[in-house]
Amino acid sequence: MNYFLTGGTGFIGRFLVEKLLARGGTIHVLVREQSQDKLQVLRERWGADESQVKAVIGDLTSPNLGIDAAVLESLKGDIDHFFHLAAVYDMGADEESQQIANIEGTRAAVQAAEAMGAKHFHHVSSIAAAGLFKGIFREDMFEEAEKLDHPYLRTKHESEKVVREECKVPFRVYRPGMVIGHSKTGEMDKVDGPYYFFKMIQKIRHALPQWVPTIGIEGGRLNIVPVDFVVDALDHIAHLEGEDGNCFHLVDSDPYKVGEILNIFSEAGHAPKMGMRIDSRMFGFIPPFIRQSLKNLPPVKRLTSAVLDDMGIPPSVMSFINYPTRFDARETERALKDSGIEVPRLPDYAPVIWDYWERNLDPDLFKDRTLKGTVEGRVCVVTGATSGIGLATAQKLADAGAILVIGARKLERLKEVAAELESRGASVHAYPCDFSDMEACDEFVKTVLDNHGHVDVLVNNAGRSIRRSLDLSFDRFHDFERTMQLNYFGSVRLIMGFAPKMLERRRGHVVNISSIGVLTNAPRFSAYVASKSALDAFSRCAAAEWSDRNVTFTTINMPLVKTPMIAPTKIYDSVPTLTPDEAAGMVADAIVYRPKRIATRLGIFAQVLHALAPKMGEIVMNTGYRMFPDSPAAAGSKSGEKPKVSTEQVAFAAIMRGIYW
């Protein structure tokens, strides 16, 4: 048999060509002049040569598909099956491109099929042709479609109408559901349909342990089918006798609700599942004009836009969350009877769909998410850069090509670090500063701005930690003053100094090294945690003011890190800690991705526990407080003897990894 395909190099088309080649046919594929190389690559994939898969030069947007008259004449009477698959399958595409490709392209395909005297015309439409019909849409229904406001729905309906009213070649219409990747390999060529929610699932996975239940939506039923089912069914039905004039729904007869689909893919992606799903219909008692008024409020619109943009979800997709249409497929089931072709259940193949997306389609794979791509040639300031987290961060920024500004109290050590970083080929500018001295902070800011003009990234790392229980602090009010002076006032002074230029340039990012203790309410660290909490609160307020001016903040609730700051507490030598390099990796992630907060899952869980069950959280922390004593130094002893650590303490610290005790 001889076949002609539009869209033969597209996603569904390339799988269909493979099926048709297995039948021993000669296949003519419409390609644009500049796309012949793409077809040659596909020939190699199919194991076919130019005599089996022939290129026909043309264009979907031209009459008769832009095929040369002589070529059309040579094909006349020789095409048994004409498959029209080419179209815009994209909910986010603009209306004009959909109009041209879907409607005018179909009209051109019908003209070409008639001109070459094709025996059968197979139009691959979509369930979108039904619009947002409420209820069951049968295969023999067409005019009953309703709510075709969205251009994708409207153009798919109108293109099918072209076939029904204008095609003189015996035709068959196929309406696939939402086509996703191959059920065996996961192969897919773009992000569409349910894939739009994968980034959201991935972000939730990074934020919460898999066992933590979440709250989500229920939604309507989305009809999802894998591409191999669609192609197998299309190939089989196209070659049956006596089916001309019929329409076939290539759908799942038992589709899942949106909430079920999200849970299936959450499980496949090892993310938390929604333990509670809210059905939006429960808000149906609210008059539509009130719901619409609320949606149009500026804060609601901005919040919705920001969330959808962060997740990579086109706003138009949200209108399909409560999809109202069910599709009857009795004609398809009749045609496929005894063929062995059936829709696989989504839970059975969701893992390969997720795996293929994460390895090949995740939008982050196509962005320069390297530290070098983010900071090269940009001015980055790191305080407390001569040891611990600050030094490790400075090293990463130096290697990434940043214009690195480092500050610390001790001039000699600062010079040593600057020389070491310069030996790595970095552009380093070292300025001594005691960041607990407000006048010194002002001088530091002035020097940096005079020499560099602006700051792109500020890492507030310089800090002071004090581990001492309140029972030993009644006469040590200066502990609270000293931590607040450096950890809070010093950091705020730098932010307020660099912010005017950031706001003027509409570009700037502040990374504050906070503590997991802010989330866990760590005992013995009241002075330290209070100062970090103050900085966290300031940053949240500032971020709210500057959200629309592209000056952003990231708070890192850093777990316990093995740095000189914790060295006096000898018991920490026996508990799990991060290395400075691991901590610097968190800072690098903050600079690259600019999240609002970076914290360990245990830290986030502790914050949730304190919010939902504060007494329980208090008891857990009190247990740790009683289990780990004050250090001799905190108690006023000069003994340098390392305290003995019990098995119970080690086990408790391992379970509560990263929490300060």
Side-chain angles (χ1 to χ4, degrees), residues 100-412:
I100 293 171
N102 294 353
I103 300 177
E104 298 308 320
T106 298
R107 182 168 284 115
V110 168
Q111 292 170 352
E114 293 174 357
M116 63 181 67
K119 297 180 179 64
H120 301 278
F121 185 87
H122 303 279
H123 176 62
V124 180
S125 182
S126 166
I127 58 172
L132 295 178
F133 180 85
K134 190 172 183 178
I136 297 176
F137 202 80
R138 300 189 311 272
E139 289 157 303
D140 60 355
M141 295 170 66
F142 176 71
E143 296 293 347
E144 295 85 350
E146 58 187 25
K147 296 182 180 178
L148 295 161
D149 300 329
H150 191 283
Y152 181 71
L153 304 181
R154 185 169 59 256
T155 57
K156 294 306 291 183
H157 181 85
E158 291 297 320
S159 63
E160 187 175 320
K161 186 176 183 179
V162 168
V163 175
R164 291 174 175 274
E165 295 184 354
E166 300 178 23
C167 187
K168 297 180 176 60
V169 176
F171 65 84
R172 303 176 191 187
V173 174
Y174 308 85
R175 296 177 187 152
M178 295 183 181
V179 182
I180 62 173
H182 198 287
S183 67
K184 299 295 190 297
T185 66
E187 182 182 348
M188 181 62 170
D189 64 350
K190 65 175 180 175
V191 170
D192 197 14
Y195 289 87
Y196 284 126
F197 296 96
F198 283 15
K199 179 55 67 175
M200 176 187 72
I201 293 171
Q202 188 187 64
K203 285 178 178 287
I204 294 173
R205 182 186 71 189
H206 290 160
L208 296 171
Q210 187 176 0
W211 49 268
V212 175
T214 61
I215 299 174
I217 56 173
E218 183 70 313
R221 295 183 183 273
L222 295 184
N223 210 293
I224 294 173
V225 286
V227 66
D228 46 312
F229 163 74
V230 172
V231 169
D232 288 349
L234 179 58
D235 170 63
H236 179 80
I237 297 173
H239 291 89
L240 293 177
E241 296 291 337
E243 299 294 347
D244 291 332
N246 290 337
C247 177
F248 302 91
H249 283 162
L250 309 184
V251 298
D252 185 347
S253 296
D254 186 21
Y256 295 94
K257 293 182 178 180
V258 171
E260 294 172 325
I261 292 169
L262 292 178
N263 270 350
I264 289 169
F265 282 116
S266 292
E267 184 172 3
H270 307 290
K273 295 167 66 175
M274 295 181 292
M276 178 185 296
R277 302 198 297 268
I278 299 171
D279 193 330
S280 62
R281 289 177 297 180
M282 66 186 293
F283 301 105
F285 68 91
I286 302 175
F289 76 91
I290 294 180
R291 295 201 302 269
Q292 193 61 38
S293 297
L294 290 173
K295 285 167 60 177
N296 289 330
L297 288 173
V300 175
K301 290 176 71 174
R302 275 199 63 200
L303 181 62
T304 302
S305 177
V307 171
L308 293 181
D309 184 63
D310 185 52
M311 299 296 178
I313 302 174
S316 60
V317 171
M318 300 307 294
S319 61
F320 295 90
I321 291 296
N322 293 310
Y323 196 64
T325 317
R326 296 287 296 272
F327 293 92
D328 179 88
R330 65 188 66 188
E331 286 299 306
T332 301
E333 291 168 0
R334 173 189 59 77
L336 295 179
K337 187 177 181 180
D338 299 326
S339 68
I341 300 170
E342 59 182 6
V343 184
R345 301 306 293 160
L346 184 59
D348 295 335
Y349 66 95
V352 298
I353 298 295
W354 174 273
D355 185 67
Y356 189 90
W357 171 82
E358 197 157 40
R359 292 175 185 272
N360 300 278
L361 297 175
D362 182 353
D364 284 346
L365 297 174
F366 305 97
K367 298 176 182 177
D368 187 351
R369 294 296 193 182
T370 63
L371 187 60
K372 183 179 179 68
T374 304
V375 303
E376 187 174 24
R378 300 191 184 279
V379 180
C380 299
V381 176
V382 182
T383 66
T386 55
S387 67
I389 299 171
L391 176 58
T393 298
Q395 290 169 339
K396 286 186 181 296
L397 290 171
D399 292 342
I403 299 171
L404 184 58
V405 176
I406 58 175
R409 282 186 305 122
K410 298 177 180 178
L411 180 58
E412 289 305 313

Side-chain angles (χ1 to χ4, degrees), residues 1-5 20 23 25-28 79 81 83 239:
M1 285 191 177
N2 293 316
Y3 303 94
F4 188 98
L5 279 79
L20 299 178
R23 291 180 174 270
T26 300
I27 302 166
H28 303 267
I79 300 300
H81 296 276
F83 289 91
H239 291 89

Side-chain angles (χ1 to χ4, degrees), residues 614-639:
K615 189 63 179 179
M616 184 181 299
E618 181 182 299
I619 290 171
V620 171
M621 299 310 291
N622 180 259
T623 301
Y625 170 72
R626 294 301 175 190
M627 188 175 293
F628 296 92
D630 279 282
S631 65
S637 170
K638 295 183 180 180
S639 170

